[in-house]
Amino acid sequence: MKYKANRVLGVKPKRRLQIIFFLCICFLLVFWFECRIFSQGLNRKGSRHKFLEKFREEEGDTLWHGESGESSVNSISFQVLSWRPRALYFPNFVTAKQCQSIIEIAKSNLKPSGLALRKGETAESTKGIRTSSGTFISASDDSTGVLDIVERKIARATMIPRSHGEAFNVLRYEIGQRYVAHYDAFNPAEYGQRSSQRIASFLVYLSDVEEGGETMFPYENGANMGVGYDYKRCIGLKVKPRQGDGLLFYSLFPNGTIDKTSLHGSCPVIKGEKWVATKWINDQEM
């Protein structure tokens, strides 16, 4: 009985101690080996991190670029507002100081906004369609250099060269003023053949508007088409002006035909004042 009492699971006490000691040694070896692997992984990761930091310090976190490319990485934040029409929103595209500078440049040259006339239309028959005041300013005529900066940024955002852009049309909308829904592109059947066509428009909102003054797209996603839409109504997708923000929309499809959903207008200002700078972009150099 004493012999049986000193055995556990059929193993003698002395043998049992040897087995326990051996298992402890194995466990320690496994633990040491795993620590070595983990440590080497961290070292490799740290070395890679240091290599990337060194690369970024030396190369400026850039990629190889073409002769006409840029030597630094830039990011311009935007939000896709719609695919029909293709409309993108750029928050904080320019600074408040730049906005005020453009307004000051334009203030002394404002005149009643003009309107491109269709065949058979007259200034009298189109009265009330566009009631804002505005002026055209080229970046080359701006001694402050602000419009040059904005124009370059628009070219980066659209990937269309500056040479394809018209002069900035800076507009002021006072209470009750508006622009009835229209197309920026010119339908040859209505306006006749032209040497170039407007493919996109970039709006820079120079001021906040307390109420009203939204840029609206009544045909967004095919809505209100073919139902006798009243062009004076302010419905559909509406973009509220916020100082410094930008809005880009395309008037043409890639195949050159007019996107019918790009119909847009400016809702009447109800309270406050609206300032906006528009850059029309053409398919030909201007």
Side-chain angles (χ1 to χ4, degrees), residues 43-63:
N43 288 336
R44 282 196 298 270
K45 187 177 180 181
S47 298
R48 182 174 180 274
H49 182 68
K50 288 179 181 178
F51 172 77
L52 289 174
E53 284 186 344
K54 185 178 180 182
F55 173 78
R56 286 170 177 166
E57 288 175 1
E58 293 176 354
E59 304 295 332
D61 199 15
T62 63
L63 297 174

Side-chain angles (χ1 to χ4, degrees), residues 34-48:
E34 288 182 347
C35 286
R36 287 274 296 178
I37 293 175
F38 183 73
S39 176
Q40 288 175 3
L42 287 178
N43 288 336
R44 282 196 298 270
K45 187 177 180 181
S47 298
R48 182 174 180 274

Side-chain angles (χ1 to χ4, degrees), residues 73-255:
V73 174
N74 295 291
S75 62
I76 301 177
S77 300
F78 69 90
Q79 175 189 358
V80 175
L81 295 182
S82 168
W83 278 99
R84 299 181 63 203
R86 287 171 294 156
L88 295 88
Y89 186 69
F90 295 81
N92 303 310
F93 191 76
V94 299
T95 66
K97 186 177 180 180
Q98 289 170 333
C99 290
Q100 194 57 44
S101 176
I102 297 171
I103 290 174
E104 292 302 320
I105 295 169
K107 267 184 178 179
S108 60
N109 297 308
L110 294 177
K111 297 177 182 178
S113 298
L115 191 68
L117 300 177
R118 297 183 180 90
K119 295 176 181 179
E121 288 182 335
T122 64
E124 186 62 29
S125 66
T126 57
K127 191 175 181 180
I129 291 179
R130 192 184 192 192
T131 56
S132 61
S133 56
T135 185
F136 285 90
I137 310 173
S138 173
S140 60
D141 296 328
D142 173 22
S143 59
T144 68
V146 171
L147 288 178
D148 182 74
I149 294 171
V150 177
E151 193 170 79
R152 289 178 184 277
K153 193 169 184 179
I154 289 174
R156 288 200 301 271
T158 61
M159 281 301 294
I160 300 175
R162 299 173 64 189
S163 57
H164 286 241
E166 299 178 31
F168 285 95
N169 187 202
V170 182
L171 302 168
R172 180 183 68 183
Y173 292 85
E174 298 179 281
I175 292 176
Q177 293 186 332
R178 67 183 180 190
Y179 195 174
V180 173
H182 61 283
Y183 291 103
D184 282 350
F186 297 101
N187 185 344
E190 298 176 330
Y191 294 93
Q193 292 296 327
R194 301 172 65 90
S195 59
S196 64
Q197 179 66 289
R198 290 173 177 170
I199 59 177
S201 302
F202 200 106
L203 280 60
V204 179
Y205 297 111
L206 304 177
S207 68
D208 294 324
V209 181
E210 291 184 59
E211 188 176 354
E214 300 94 344
T215 302
M216 53 98 172
F217 297 88
Y219 287 172
E220 195 268 328
N221 206 30
N224 304 309
M225 300 182 76
V227 293
Y229 163 69
D230 181 358
Y231 289 81
K232 296 179 181 179
R233 294 176 62 195
C234 185
I235 60 175
L237 172 65
K238 291 189 279 190
V239 182
K240 183 174 179 60
R242 294 195 314 184
Q243 186 182 57
D245 292 355
L247 173 66
L248 167 67
F249 62 90
Y250 291 87
S251 298
L252 301 185
F253 289 116
N255 64 3

